[in-house]
Each structure stands twice: as C-alpha cells, then as structure tokens.
Coordinates of all heavy atoms in Angstrom, one line a residue:
M1 N -18.5 44.6 5.3 CA -18.9 43.2 5.2 C -19.4 43.0 3.7 O -19.2 42.0 3.2 CB -20.0 43.0 6.2 CG -20.5 41.6 6.2 SD -19.2 40.5 6.8 CE -20.0 39.0 6.8
R2 N -20.2 43.9 3.2 CA -20.7 43.8 1.9 C -19.6 43.8 0.8 O -19.7 43.0 -0.2 CB -21.7 45.0 1.6 CG -22.7 44.7 0.6 CD -23.8 45.8 0.8 NE -24.5 46.0 -0.4 CZ -25.6 45.3 -0.7 NH1 -26.0 44.4 0.2 NH2 -26.3 45.4 -1.8
K3 N -18.6 44.6 1.0 CA -17.5 44.6 0.1 C -16.7 43.3 0.1 O -16.2 42.8 -0.9 CB -16.5 45.8 0.5 CG -15.5 46.1 -0.6 CD -14.8 47.4 -0.2 CE -13.9 47.8 -1.3 NZ -13.2 49.0 -1.0
L4 N -16.5 42.7 1.3 CA -15.8 41.4 1.5 C -16.6 40.3 0.7 O -16.0 39.5 0.1 CB -15.7 41.1 2.9 CG -15.0 39.8 3.3 CD1 -13.5 39.9 2.8 CD2 -15.0 39.6 4.8
L5 N -17.9 40.3 0.9 CA -18.8 39.3 0.2 C -18.6 39.5 -1.3 O -18.6 38.5 -2.1 CB -20.2 39.5 0.6 CG -21.2 38.5 0.0 CD1 -20.9 37.1 0.4 CD2 -22.6 38.9 0.4
K6 N -18.6 40.7 -1.8 CA -18.5 41.0 -3.2 C -17.1 40.4 -3.7 O -17.1 39.8 -4.8 CB -18.5 42.5 -3.5 CG -18.4 42.9 -4.9 CD -18.6 44.4 -5.0 CE -18.3 44.9 -6.4 NZ -18.4 46.3 -6.5
W7 N -16.0 40.7 -3.0 CA -14.7 40.1 -3.5 C -14.7 38.6 -3.4 O -14.1 37.9 -4.2 CB -13.6 40.7 -2.6 CG -13.3 42.1 -3.0 CD1 -13.6 43.3 -2.4 CD2 -12.6 42.5 -4.2 NE1 -13.1 44.4 -3.1 CE2 -12.5 43.9 -4.2 CE3 -12.0 41.8 -5.3 CZ2 -11.8 44.6 -5.3 CZ3 -11.4 42.5 -6.3 CH2 -11.3 43.8 -6.3
F8 N -15.3 38.1 -2.4 CA -15.4 36.6 -2.2 C -16.1 36.0 -3.4 O -15.7 35.0 -4.0 CB -16.1 36.2 -0.9 CG -16.3 34.8 -0.7 CD1 -15.2 33.9 -0.5 CD2 -17.5 34.2 -0.9 CE1 -15.4 32.6 -0.3 CE2 -17.7 32.8 -0.8 CZ -16.6 32.0 -0.5
L9 N -17.3 36.5 -3.8 CA -18.0 36.0 -4.9 C -17.3 36.2 -6.2 O -17.3 35.3 -7.1 CB -19.4 36.7 -5.0 CG -20.4 36.3 -3.8 CD1 -21.7 37.1 -3.9 CD2 -20.7 34.8 -3.8
L10 N -16.6 37.3 -6.4 CA -15.8 37.5 -7.6 C -14.7 36.5 -7.7 O -14.4 35.9 -8.7 CB -15.2 38.9 -7.6 CG -14.3 39.3 -8.8 CD1 -15.1 39.2 -10.0 CD2 -13.7 40.6 -8.6
G11 N -14.0 36.2 -6.5 CA -12.9 35.2 -6.5 C -13.4 33.8 -6.8 O -12.9 33.1 -7.5
L12 N -14.6 33.5 -6.2 CA -15.2 32.2 -6.4 C -15.6 32.0 -7.9 O -15.4 31.0 -8.4 CB -16.4 32.1 -5.5 CG -17.0 30.7 -5.3 CD1 -16.0 29.7 -4.7 CD2 -18.2 30.8 -4.4
S13 N -16.1 33.1 -8.5 CA -16.5 33.0 -9.9 C -15.3 32.8 -10.8 O -15.3 32.0 -11.7 CB -17.2 34.3 -10.3 OG -18.4 34.5 -9.6
L14 N -14.2 33.5 -10.5 CA -13.0 33.3 -11.3 C -12.4 31.9 -11.1 O -11.9 31.4 -12.1 CB -11.9 34.4 -10.8 CG -12.2 35.8 -11.2 CD1 -11.2 36.8 -10.6 CD2 -12.3 35.9 -12.7
I15 N -12.5 31.4 -9.9 CA -12.0 30.0 -9.7 C -12.9 29.0 -10.5 O -12.4 28.1 -11.2 CB -12.0 29.6 -8.2 CG1 -10.9 30.4 -7.5 CG2 -11.8 28.1 -8.0 CD1 -10.9 30.3 -6.0
A16 N -14.2 29.2 -10.5 CA -15.1 28.3 -11.2 C -14.9 28.4 -12.7 O -14.8 27.4 -13.5 CB -16.5 28.7 -10.9
I17 N -14.7 29.6 -13.2 CA -14.4 29.8 -14.7 C -13.1 29.2 -15.1 O -13.0 28.5 -16.1 CB -14.5 31.3 -15.0 CG1 -15.9 31.9 -14.9 CG2 -13.9 31.6 -16.4 CD1 -16.0 33.4 -15.0
S18 N -12.1 29.3 -14.2 CA -10.8 28.7 -14.5 C -10.9 27.2 -14.5 O -10.3 26.6 -15.4 CB -9.8 29.1 -13.4 OG -9.6 30.5 -13.5
L19 N -11.6 26.6 -13.6 CA -11.7 25.2 -13.6 C -12.5 24.6 -14.8 O -12.0 23.7 -15.4 CB -12.5 24.7 -12.3 CG -11.7 24.8 -11.0 CD1 -12.5 24.5 -9.8 CD2 -10.5 23.9 -11.0
F20 N -13.6 25.3 -15.1 CA -14.3 24.8 -16.3 C -13.6 25.1 -17.6 O -13.6 24.3 -18.5 CB -15.7 25.5 -16.4 CG -16.7 24.9 -15.4 CD1 -17.1 25.7 -14.3 CD2 -17.1 23.6 -15.5 CE1 -18.0 25.2 -13.4 CE2 -18.0 23.1 -14.6 CZ -18.5 23.9 -13.5
G21 N -12.8 26.2 -17.6 CA -12.0 26.5 -18.8 C -10.9 25.4 -19.0 O -10.6 25.0 -20.1
A22 N -10.2 25.1 -17.9 CA -9.2 24.1 -17.9 C -9.7 22.7 -18.3 O -9.1 22.0 -19.1 CB -8.4 24.0 -16.6
D23 N -10.9 22.4 -17.8 CA -11.5 21.1 -18.2 C -11.8 21.0 -19.7 O -11.6 20.1 -20.3 CB -12.8 20.9 -17.3 CG -13.4 19.6 -17.6 OD1 -12.8 18.5 -17.4 OD2 -14.6 19.6 -18.0
Y24 N -12.4 22.1 -20.2 CA -12.7 22.2 -21.6 C -11.5 22.1 -22.4 O -11.4 21.4 -23.4 CB -13.5 23.5 -21.9 CG -13.7 23.7 -23.4 CD1 -14.8 23.0 -24.0 CD2 -12.9 24.5 -24.1 CE1 -15.0 23.1 -25.3 CE2 -13.2 24.7 -25.5 CZ -14.2 24.0 -26.1 OH -14.4 24.2 -27.4
W25 N -10.4 22.8 -22.0 CA -9.2 22.8 -22.8 C -8.6 21.4 -22.9 O -8.1 20.9 -23.9 CB -8.2 23.8 -22.2 CG -6.9 23.9 -23.0 CD1 -6.7 24.6 -24.1 CD2 -5.7 23.3 -22.6 NE1 -5.4 24.4 -24.5 CE2 -4.7 23.6 -23.6 CE3 -5.2 22.5 -21.5 CZ2 -3.4 23.2 -23.6 CZ3 -3.9 22.1 -21.5 CH2 -3.0 22.4 -22.5
V26 N -8.5 20.7 -21.8 CA -7.9 19.4 -21.7 C -8.8 18.4 -22.6 O -8.2 17.6 -23.4 CB -7.8 18.8 -20.3 CG1 -7.5 17.4 -20.2 CG2 -6.8 19.6 -19.5
K27 N -10.1 18.5 -22.4 CA -11.0 17.6 -23.2 C -10.8 17.8 -24.7 O -10.8 16.9 -25.5 CB -12.4 17.7 -22.8 CG -12.7 17.0 -21.5 CD -14.2 17.2 -21.1 CE -14.5 16.6 -19.8 NZ -15.9 16.8 -19.4
S28 N -10.8 19.1 -25.1 CA -10.7 19.4 -26.5 C -9.4 19.0 -27.1 O -9.3 18.6 -28.3 CB -11.1 20.9 -26.8 OG -10.1 21.7 -26.2
N29 N -8.3 19.2 -26.4 CA -7.0 18.8 -26.9 C -6.7 17.3 -26.9 O -6.0 16.8 -27.7 CB -5.9 19.5 -26.1 CG -5.8 21.0 -26.5 OD1 -5.9 21.3 -27.7 ND2 -5.6 21.8 -25.6
A30 N -7.4 16.6 -26.0 CA -7.1 15.1 -25.8 C -8.1 14.4 -26.7 O -7.9 13.2 -26.9 CB -7.3 14.7 -24.4
N31 N -9.1 15.0 -27.2 CA -10.2 14.3 -28.0 C -9.6 13.5 -29.2 O -10.0 12.4 -29.4 CB -11.2 15.3 -28.4 CG -12.5 14.6 -29.0 OD1 -12.8 13.5 -28.5 ND2 -13.2 15.2 -29.8
L32 N -8.6 14.1 -29.9 CA -8.1 13.4 -31.1 C -7.0 12.4 -30.7 O -6.5 11.7 -31.6 CB -7.5 14.4 -32.0 CG -8.6 15.4 -32.6 CD1 -7.9 16.5 -33.4 CD2 -9.6 14.7 -33.4
K33 N -6.6 12.3 -29.4 CA -5.6 11.4 -29.0 C -6.1 10.2 -28.2 O -5.3 9.5 -27.6 CB -4.5 12.2 -28.3 CG -3.9 13.3 -29.1 CD -3.0 14.1 -28.3 CE -2.4 15.2 -29.3 NZ -2.1 16.4 -28.6
V34 N -7.3 10.1 -28.1 CA -7.9 9.0 -27.3 C -8.5 8.0 -28.3 O -9.3 8.4 -29.2 CB -9.0 9.5 -26.4 CG1 -9.7 8.3 -25.7 CG2 -8.4 10.5 -25.3
Y35 N -8.2 6.7 -28.2 CA -8.6 5.7 -29.1 C -9.5 4.7 -28.4 O -9.2 4.3 -27.2 CB -7.4 5.0 -29.7 CG -6.5 6.0 -30.4 CD1 -5.4 6.5 -29.8 CD2 -6.8 6.3 -31.7 CE1 -4.5 7.4 -30.4 CE2 -5.9 7.2 -32.4 CZ -4.8 7.7 -31.7 OH -4.0 8.6 -32.4
S36 N -10.5 4.2 -29.0 CA -11.4 3.2 -28.4 C -11.2 1.8 -29.0 O -11.7 0.8 -28.6 CB -12.8 3.6 -28.5 OG -13.2 3.7 -29.9
S37 N -10.3 1.7 -30.0 CA -10.0 0.5 -30.7 C -8.5 0.3 -30.9 O -7.9 1.3 -31.3 CB -10.8 0.4 -32.0 OG -10.4 -0.8 -32.7
V38 N -8.0 -0.9 -30.7 CA -6.6 -1.1 -30.9 C -6.2 -0.9 -32.4 O -5.1 -0.4 -32.7 CB -6.2 -2.5 -30.5 CG1 -4.8 -2.9 -30.8 CG2 -6.5 -2.7 -29.0
E39 N -7.1 -1.2 -33.3 CA -6.8 -1.0 -34.7 C -6.6 0.4 -35.2 O -5.9 0.7 -36.2 CB -7.9 -1.6 -35.6 CG -8.0 -3.2 -35.5 CD -8.8 -3.6 -34.3 OE1 -9.6 -2.8 -33.7 OE2 -8.6 -4.8 -33.8
N40 N -7.1 1.4 -34.4 CA -7.0 2.8 -34.8 C -5.8 3.4 -34.3 O -5.5 4.6 -34.7 CB -8.2 3.5 -34.2 CG -9.5 3.1 -34.9 OD1 -9.5 2.5 -36.0 ND2 -10.6 3.3 -34.2
I41 N -5.0 2.8 -33.4 CA -3.8 3.4 -32.8 C -2.7 3.4 -33.8 O -2.4 2.3 -34.4 CB -3.5 2.7 -31.5 CG1 -4.6 2.8 -30.5 CG2 -2.2 3.3 -30.9 CD1 -4.4 2.1 -29.2
P42 N -2.0 4.5 -34.1 CA -0.9 4.5 -35.0 C 0.3 3.8 -34.4 O 0.4 3.6 -33.2 CB -0.6 6.0 -35.2 CG -1.2 6.7 -34.0 CD -2.3 5.8 -33.5
N43 N 1.2 3.3 -35.3 CA 2.4 2.6 -34.9 C 3.3 3.5 -34.2 O 3.5 4.6 -34.6 CB 3.1 1.9 -36.1 CG 2.3 0.8 -36.7 OD1 1.6 0.1 -36.0 ND2 2.5 0.5 -37.9
N44 N 3.9 3.0 -33.1 CA 4.8 3.8 -32.3 C 6.0 2.9 -31.8 O 5.8 1.7 -31.8 CB 4.2 4.4 -31.0 CG 3.2 5.5 -31.4 OD1 3.6 6.5 -31.9 ND2 1.9 5.3 -31.1
K45 N 7.1 3.5 -31.5 CA 8.2 2.7 -31.0 C 8.1 2.3 -29.6 O 8.6 1.3 -29.2 CB 9.5 3.5 -31.2 CG 10.0 3.7 -32.6 CD 11.3 4.4 -32.7 CE 11.7 4.6 -34.1 NZ 13.0 5.3 -34.2
V46 N 7.4 3.1 -28.8 CA 7.2 2.9 -27.4 C 5.8 3.0 -27.0 O 5.0 3.7 -27.7 CB 8.1 3.8 -26.5 CG1 9.6 3.6 -26.8 CG2 7.8 5.2 -26.7
G47 N 5.5 2.5 -25.9 CA 4.1 2.7 -25.3 C 4.2 2.8 -23.8 O 5.2 2.4 -23.2
L48 N 3.1 3.3 -23.2 CA 3.1 3.5 -21.8 C 1.8 2.9 -21.3 O 0.7 3.2 -21.7 CB 3.1 5.0 -21.4 CG 2.9 5.4 -20.0 CD1 4.1 4.9 -19.1 CD2 2.8 6.9 -19.9
V49 N 1.9 2.0 -20.3 CA 0.8 1.4 -19.7 C 0.7 2.0 -18.3 O 1.6 1.8 -17.4 CB 0.9 -0.1 -19.6 CG1 -0.3 -0.7 -18.9 CG2 1.1 -0.7 -20.9
L50 N -0.4 2.7 -18.0 CA -0.5 3.4 -16.7 C -0.9 2.3 -15.7 O -1.6 1.3 -15.9 CB -1.6 4.4 -16.7 CG -1.3 5.6 -17.7 CD1 -2.5 6.5 -17.8 CD2 -0.1 6.3 -17.3
G51 N -0.4 2.5 -14.5 CA -0.5 1.5 -13.4 C -1.8 1.5 -12.7 O -2.4 2.6 -12.6
T52 N -2.2 0.4 -12.1 CA -3.3 0.3 -11.2 C -3.2 -1.0 -10.5 O -2.4 -1.9 -10.9 CB -4.7 0.4 -12.0 OG1 -5.7 0.4 -11.1 CG2 -4.8 -0.8 -12.9
S53 N -3.8 -1.2 -9.4 CA -3.7 -2.4 -8.6 C -4.4 -3.6 -9.3 O -5.4 -3.4 -10.0 CB -4.2 -2.2 -7.2 OG -5.5 -1.9 -7.2
K54 N -3.9 -4.8 -9.1 CA -4.4 -6.0 -9.8 C -5.8 -6.3 -9.2 O -6.7 -6.8 -9.9 CB -3.5 -7.1 -9.7 CG -3.9 -8.3 -10.5 CD -2.8 -9.4 -10.5 CE -3.2 -10.6 -11.3 NZ -2.1 -11.6 -11.4
F55 N -5.9 -6.1 -7.9 CA -7.2 -6.4 -7.2 C -7.8 -5.2 -6.6 O -7.0 -4.3 -6.1 CB -6.9 -7.5 -6.1 CG -6.3 -8.8 -6.7 CD1 -5.0 -9.0 -6.5 CD2 -7.2 -9.7 -7.3 CE1 -4.5 -10.2 -7.0 CE2 -6.6 -10.9 -7.8 CZ -5.3 -11.1 -7.7
N56 N -9.1 -5.1 -6.5 CA -9.7 -4.0 -5.8 C -9.8 -4.3 -4.3 O -9.4 -5.3 -3.8 CB -11.1 -3.7 -6.4 CG -12.1 -4.8 -6.3 OD1 -11.9 -5.7 -5.5 ND2 -13.1 -4.8 -7.2
R57 N -10.4 -3.4 -3.5 CA -10.5 -3.6 -2.1 C -11.2 -4.8 -1.6 O -11.0 -5.4 -0.5 CB -11.2 -2.4 -1.5 CG -10.4 -1.1 -1.6 CD -11.1 0.0 -0.9 NE -10.4 1.3 -1.2 CZ -10.9 2.4 -0.8 NH1 -12.0 2.6 -0.3 NH2 -10.1 3.5 -1.1
N58 N -12.2 -5.3 -2.4 CA -12.9 -6.5 -2.1 C -12.2 -7.8 -2.4 O -12.7 -8.9 -2.1 CB -14.3 -6.5 -2.8 CG -15.1 -5.3 -2.4 OD1 -15.0 -4.8 -1.3 ND2 -16.0 -4.9 -3.3
G59 N -11.0 -7.7 -3.0 CA -10.3 -8.9 -3.4 C -10.6 -9.4 -4.8 O -10.0 -10.4 -5.2
Y60 N -11.5 -8.8 -5.5 CA -11.8 -9.2 -6.8 C -10.9 -8.6 -7.8 O -10.2 -7.6 -7.5 CB -13.3 -8.8 -7.2 CG -14.3 -9.5 -6.3 CD1 -15.0 -8.7 -5.4 CD2 -14.6 -10.8 -6.5 CE1 -16.0 -9.3 -4.6 CE2 -15.5 -11.4 -5.7 CZ -16.2 -10.7 -4.7 OH -17.1 -11.3 -4.0
V61 N -10.8 -9.1 -9.0 CA -9.9 -8.6 -10.0 C -10.4 -7.2 -10.4 O -11.5 -7.0 -10.7 CB -9.9 -9.5 -11.3 CG1 -9.1 -8.9 -12.4 CG2 -9.2 -10.9 -10.9
N62 N -9.4 -6.3 -10.5 CA -9.7 -4.9 -11.0 C -9.8 -4.9 -12.5 O -8.8 -5.2 -13.2 CB -8.6 -4.0 -10.5 CG -8.8 -2.6 -10.7 OD1 -9.8 -2.2 -11.5 ND2 -8.0 -1.7 -10.2
Y63 N -10.9 -4.6 -13.0 CA -11.1 -4.6 -14.5 C -10.3 -3.5 -15.2 O -10.0 -3.7 -16.3 CB -12.6 -4.5 -14.8 CG -13.4 -5.8 -14.5 CD1 -14.3 -5.8 -13.4 CD2 -13.1 -6.9 -15.2 CE1 -14.9 -7.0 -13.2 CE2 -13.8 -8.1 -15.0 CZ -14.7 -8.1 -13.9 OH -15.4 -9.3 -13.6
Y64 N -10.0 -2.4 -14.5 CA -9.1 -1.4 -15.2 C -7.8 -2.1 -15.4 O -7.2 -1.9 -16.5 CB -8.9 -0.2 -14.3 CG -10.1 0.7 -14.2 CD1 -10.8 0.7 -13.0 CD2 -10.5 1.4 -15.3 CE1 -12.0 1.6 -12.9 CE2 -11.7 2.2 -15.2 CZ -12.4 2.3 -14.0 OH -13.4 3.1 -13.9
Y65 N -7.3 -2.8 -14.5 CA -6.0 -3.6 -14.6 C -6.1 -4.6 -15.8 O -5.3 -4.6 -16.7 CB -5.6 -4.2 -13.3 CG -4.4 -5.1 -13.4 CD1 -3.1 -4.6 -13.4 CD2 -4.6 -6.5 -13.6 CE1 -2.0 -5.5 -13.5 CE2 -3.5 -7.4 -13.7 CZ -2.2 -6.8 -13.7 OH -1.1 -7.6 -13.8
K66 N -7.1 -5.4 -15.7 CA -7.3 -6.5 -16.7 C -7.4 -5.9 -18.1 O -6.7 -6.4 -19.0 CB -8.6 -7.2 -16.4 CG -8.9 -8.3 -17.3 CD -10.2 -9.0 -17.0 CE -10.5 -10.1 -18.0 NZ -11.9 -10.4 -18.2
Y67 N -8.2 -4.9 -18.3 CA -8.3 -4.4 -19.7 C -7.1 -3.6 -20.2 O -6.8 -3.6 -21.3 CB -9.5 -3.5 -19.8 CG -10.8 -4.2 -19.5 CD1 -11.9 -3.6 -18.8 CD2 -11.0 -5.5 -19.9 CE1 -13.1 -4.3 -18.6 CE2 -12.2 -6.2 -19.7 CZ -13.2 -5.6 -19.0 OH -14.3 -6.3 -18.8
R68 N -6.4 -3.0 -19.3 CA -5.1 -2.3 -19.6 C -4.1 -3.3 -20.1 O -3.3 -3.1 -21.1 CB -4.5 -1.5 -18.5 CG -5.3 -0.2 -18.3 CD -4.7 0.6 -17.1 NE -5.6 1.7 -16.9 CZ -5.4 2.6 -15.9 NH1 -4.3 2.4 -15.1 NH2 -6.2 3.5 -15.7
I69 N -3.9 -4.4 -19.3 CA -3.0 -5.5 -19.7 C -3.4 -6.1 -21.0 O -2.5 -6.4 -21.9 CB -2.9 -6.5 -18.6 CG1 -2.3 -5.9 -17.3 CG2 -2.0 -7.7 -19.0 CD1 -0.9 -5.2 -17.5
E70 N -4.7 -6.4 -21.2 CA -5.1 -7.0 -22.5 C -4.9 -6.0 -23.7 O -4.4 -6.5 -24.7 CB -6.6 -7.3 -22.4 CG -6.9 -8.5 -21.5 CD -8.4 -8.7 -21.3 OE1 -9.2 -8.0 -21.9 OE2 -8.7 -9.7 -20.6
A71 N -5.1 -4.8 -23.5 CA -4.8 -3.8 -24.6 C -3.3 -3.7 -24.8 O -2.9 -3.6 -26.0 CB -5.3 -2.4 -24.2
A72 N -2.5 -3.7 -23.8 CA -1.0 -3.7 -24.0 C -0.6 -4.9 -24.8 O 0.3 -4.8 -25.7 CB -0.3 -3.6 -22.7
L73 N -1.1 -6.1 -24.4 CA -0.7 -7.3 -25.2 C -1.2 -7.2 -26.6 O -0.5 -7.7 -27.5 CB -1.4 -8.5 -24.5 CG -0.7 -9.0 -23.2 CD1 -1.6 -10.1 -22.5 CD2 0.7 -9.5 -23.4
A74 N -2.4 -6.7 -26.9 CA -2.9 -6.6 -28.3 C -2.0 -5.6 -29.1 O -1.7 -5.8 -30.2 CB -4.3 -6.1 -28.3
L75 N -1.5 -4.5 -28.4 CA -0.7 -3.6 -29.1 C 0.7 -4.1 -29.4 O 1.4 -3.8 -30.4 CB -0.6 -2.3 -28.3 CG -1.9 -1.4 -28.3 CD1 -1.7 -0.3 -27.3 CD2 -2.1 -0.9 -29.7
Y76 N 1.2 -5.0 -28.5 CA 2.5 -5.5 -28.6 C 2.6 -6.5 -29.8 O 3.4 -6.5 -30.6 CB 2.9 -6.3 -27.3 CG 4.3 -6.8 -27.4 CD1 5.4 -6.0 -27.3 CD2 4.5 -8.2 -27.5 CE1 6.7 -6.5 -27.4 CE2 5.8 -8.7 -27.5 CZ 6.9 -7.9 -27.5 OH 8.1 -8.4 -27.5

C-alpha cells in the first residue's frame, strides 16, 4: 500500500509539473504575439477572427463578440 501511494504521488507530481511547464511555455511564446492595440499589429494579407456567440445565455449582447467584430473592422 505504501509503495502504491509513493507511485501515485510521483505520478501526480509529474502531471502537475507537466501542466505548469506547458502553461509557462505557451505564455512565454505567445507573449510577443499578443497585441492590445490595433496600431501595434503588423500588416498581414489575411486575418482570423475567432468565433463566439452574439448573445450570452441571458440574451444580452456578448462583449467578446462585440469587441472582436469591432477589432476586425478596425483592422480591415
């Protein structure tokens, strides 16, 4: 039983290290590719607007949708 617990804790530790390592890697590589202003984005031939629903569950306008569309228009 003690050996099983030891292997379980080791496995759990490796999973936690892997998750935090992957999170750190993604954040550090994406940091230079995230823009907070339209003026800072370099010119490109194409663009991608990620989808989201126009309205949230309460029937109100989804601000993620609104701001993505506004940013796409400004870039166009």
Side-chain angles (χ1 to χ4, degrees):
M1 183 70 178
R2 204 165 160 89
K3 193 173 187 178
L4 181 63
L5 180 62
K6 181 179 175 181
W7 281 106
F8 175 74
L9 291 176
L10 178 65
L12 193 62
S13 298
L14 289 174
I15 290 171
I17 290 169
S18 298
L19 287 174
F20 284 112
D23 181 59
Y24 175 77
W25 182 77
V26 168
K27 284 181 181 178
S28 64
N29 284 318
N31 192 28
L32 298 175
K33 298 174 183 151
V34 175
Y35 302 96
S36 59
S37 174
V38 174
E39 291 81 24
N40 296 337
I41 298 175
N43 290 333
N44 292 296
K45 291 183 181 181
V46 297
L48 174 67
V49 179
L50 299 175
T52 186
S53 60
K54 188 172 184 177
F55 300 102
N56 61 22
R57 292 181 186 173
N58 299 332
Y60 297 109
V61 173
N62 185 351
Y63 286 109
Y64 289 111
Y65 172 84
K66 180 184 178 202
Y67 296 143
R68 285 180 188 178
I69 297 301
E70 288 175 359
L73 287 171
L75 289 170
Y76 181 72

